[in-house]
Amino acid sequence: MSSVAHSQNLNPSESAPSQDASLSAPSESLPNQNGPVISKISFIGLKRTKESFLQDSLKSYIGKRYNSKSKSNLESDLQAMNLFSSIEFSSSFTDGGTVELNINVKEKIAFIPLPFAMYSSSTGFMVGGFVMDMNAGGQKDMFVTGLLWSPNNTMVLGLYSHAPRIGAPGFRVHASASKQNAFFRNAEGDELLKIENFNAGLGTAILFKLDRYNNLDCGLTYQGFFPYDTDVHPDAYRRNKFGANTGWKISDQNWNGVFLSETSFGLNGGLYIDTKAHLTESLSASVKVQQPLIPKLRLNVLSGAGIVFNGLITDNLQKGTACVTILDDKFSSPKIAGAASGLEFAVFQHRKIGTISIYGNYEFVFAQEFDDSLLFCQGFNVGSKVYLSGLAFPAVSMGLAYNATKNKFYFAGSFGVSF
């Protein structure tokens, strides 16, 4: 949420005030096009965040016209950083007729030891704890390390990501190790296979921000898969797997004072080879459209699809690839596609407390079952999310999904970090 201090009319056809004139009158009427040129952007209220990082991230606005569109884009970019609980604009003219922007911000808490707990009707309870920093180094780097435990999985993980900027690439490194019981179920929830194994993963990627809308990443991965019993299935053999993957996402985000809405398209591909020279390829795509209908109500449309070529059972895609919730968490498939569409409403919003929203979606999904038959399911999900304005982390989420085709309900809820 943000609070914006507005300014007087900036219609370029009117004479420019002197250098000392302020543009922070009670109401603002910016032109839709043209407007004075932005010559400088300064920040007030920074504590952890480096102003040099913000200046570098927003340098593309210098020399642009200050109008309703550029201001909306600038505020949306700041909101997308998820670093500030309030953002206030004020501005003044220079002797040359250009405009200098002053942005007063209040930072969110971005570093915290955070407990985590979740329950899913498909997988049961999971608990853990993280040390997280969403603004490491004062430049929106992300640092995460933690432990997750459930009756069927014990995992330690770590991640560090250096945020890319236009003209300056970033990077990401991550590692994990787990002792788990890998379950595979069909759409009825029947257990088809269980593989007890030790799993280790390591990955790195170079991140590129090509412009305000386009992001690209190119990475390398390693996964070690070491089952305790290699006789349970032909795919359950011990292996080291190496891979290369790349992803492209084009995204536009818009802040309307309540929601940060996104319109995006993403495409990801990977190529993997293991110690038996088994070659696997994967391809996935996703589309997101979020459109406010009124300030507190927006339309959400999500869709996704993925396919694995020449894959093993352990390479199968999860239901999240299809952007749906109406399947068992342990259902997986080499081919899956789905979509969800619905509404989200902010039932409570307070700038010092946070936002509580409720949502409802109708979903459908196509997938390939383990017996190679085509699966089609439809149903709905409803739920709620809670975000605290002072924290850079999701607080609470819960949802109930109903698969009308299979007449099955699924419930999931989390506290701490919303996965």
Side-chain angles (χ1 to χ4, degrees):
M1 285 155 287
S2 71
S3 174
V4 180
H6 296 298
S7 307
Q8 69 184 37
N9 195 309
L10 288 179
N11 193 316
S13 63
E14 299 179 0
S15 59
S18 66
Q19 183 177 2
D20 294 332
S22 173
L23 298 178
S24 55
S27 62
E28 176 183 51
S29 178
L30 292 175
N32 293 326
Q33 296 180 345
N34 298 321
V37 171
I38 301 172
S39 60
K40 184 179 180 181
I41 301 176
S42 300
F43 289 85
I44 303 169
L46 298 177
K47 294 182 179 179
R48 290 195 67 202
T49 308
K50 294 179 179 179
E51 180 157 357
S52 59
F53 160 72
L54 295 174
Q55 295 283 359
D56 193 33
S57 299
L58 304 173
K59 62 183 179 182
S60 61
Y61 286 93
I62 303 299
K64 284 189 175 181
R65 298 285 181 175
Y66 185 49
N67 50 40
S68 58
K69 181 179 179 180
S70 62
K71 179 183 176 182
S72 175
N73 288 343
L74 177 56
E75 186 175 10
S76 296
D77 287 351
L78 288 169
Q79 289 289 346
M81 290 181 180
N82 194 29
L83 298 178
F84 310 114
S85 60
S86 68
I87 304 169
E88 299 178 351
F89 285 80
S90 63
S91 46
S92 59
F93 278 111
T94 68
D95 286 337
T98 61
V99 66
E100 295 183 352
L101 301 183
N102 293 305
I103 305 178
N104 196 321
V105 298
K106 183 178 180 180
E107 293 182 338
K108 295 182 178 181
I109 297 174
F111 174 77
I112 192 172
L114 194 67
F116 165 77
M118 74 164 291
Y119 171 79
S120 166
S121 57
S122 297
T123 58
F125 287 96
M126 178 177 286
V127 296
F130 296 90
V131 176
M132 305 179 67
D133 193 345
M134 307 294 284
N135 192 19
Q139 52 187 358
K140 198 177 164 41
D141 288 4
M142 179 188 297
F143 168 76
V144 180
T145 184
L147 170 70
L148 293 172
W149 179 88
S150 73
N152 293 302
N153 188 8
T154 300
M155 173 185 289
V156 293
L157 57 87
L159 177 146
Y160 191 92
S161 177
H162 176 61
R165 297 184 285 278
I166 298 174
F171 65 87
R172 178 179 62 243
V173 292
H174 61 87
S176 64
S178 65
K179 178 182 179 298
Q180 63 175 338
N181 296 328
F183 294 95
F184 301 88
R185 298 174 183 158
N186 61 17
E188 299 289 347
D190 300 326
E191 184 178 313
L192 304 177
L193 180 64
K194 174 185 174 183
I195 305 175
E196 299 180 46
N197 69 92
F198 175 78
N199 202 306
L202 181 66
T204 184
I206 301 176
L207 314 175
F208 300 93
K209 188 172 181 63
L210 306 179
D211 54 34
R212 183 175 182 266
Y213 306 101
N214 288 273
N215 293 272
L216 180 69
D217 64 83
C218 303
L220 299 173
T221 62
Y222 161 79
Q223 183 183 29
F225 181 73
F226 308 107
Y228 297 116
D229 183 357
T230 58
D231 295 327
V232 296
H233 192 277
D235 288 356
Y237 59 86
R238 297 173 180 244
R239 60 185 172 273
N240 295 298
K241 184 170 70 173
F242 303 88
N245 51 67
T246 185
W248 167 63
K249 182 178 181 181
I250 180 170
S251 173
D252 185 23
Q253 296 178 311
N254 180 56
W255 171 253
N256 74 337
V258 179
F259 293 113
L260 182 68
S261 297
E262 177 182 322
T263 301
S264 65
F265 169 76
L267 188 64
N268 294 273
L271 181 67
Y272 309 92
I273 189 168
D274 68 15
T275 45
K276 285 192 175 182
H278 183 89
L279 189 65
T280 302
E281 305 89 29
S282 67
L283 185 66
S284 64
S286 62
V287 176
K288 177 186 291 187
V289 177
Q290 296 177 315
Q291 178 61 49
L293 305 177
I294 58 176
K296 289 191 174 185
L297 178 69
R298 70 175 174 182
L299 172 69
N300 291 323
V301 179
L302 308 172
S303 63
I307 183 170
V308 174
F309 302 94
N310 196 36
L312 304 173
I313 283 182
T314 51
D315 298 317
N316 280 356
L317 302 164
Q318 304 300 309
K319 67 177 184 179
T321 305
C323 300
V324 296
T325 64
I326 57 173
L327 294 173
D328 188 287
D329 287 345
K330 296 302 181 182
F331 175 84
S332 63
S333 171
K335 301 175 183 177
I336 189 168
S341 179
L343 300 173
E344 183 177 8
F345 180 69
V347 295
F348 173 84
Q349 186 180 41
H350 190 284
R351 62 174 295 185
K352 293 185 177 180
I353 300 176
T355 301
I356 301 175
S357 71
I358 57 174
Y359 62 86
N361 296 316
Y362 197 82
E363 304 179 352
F364 67 88
V365 59
F366 293 90
Q368 179 180 311
E369 274 276 28
F370 276 75
D371 61 2
D372 294 333
S373 63
L374 179 64
L375 169 72
F376 170 74
C377 292
Q378 60 181 330
F380 65 85
N381 81 322
V382 295
S384 178
K385 296 181 180 180
V386 179
Y387 294 90
L388 301 178
S389 61
L391 294 179
F393 315 99
V396 179
S397 69
M398 60 187 67
L400 177 68
Y402 175 62
N403 187 327
T405 305
K406 301 295 183 180
N407 191 28
K408 289 183 176 295
F409 285 92
Y410 301 101
F411 173 79
S414 65
F415 168 81
V417 182
S418 180
F419 289 102

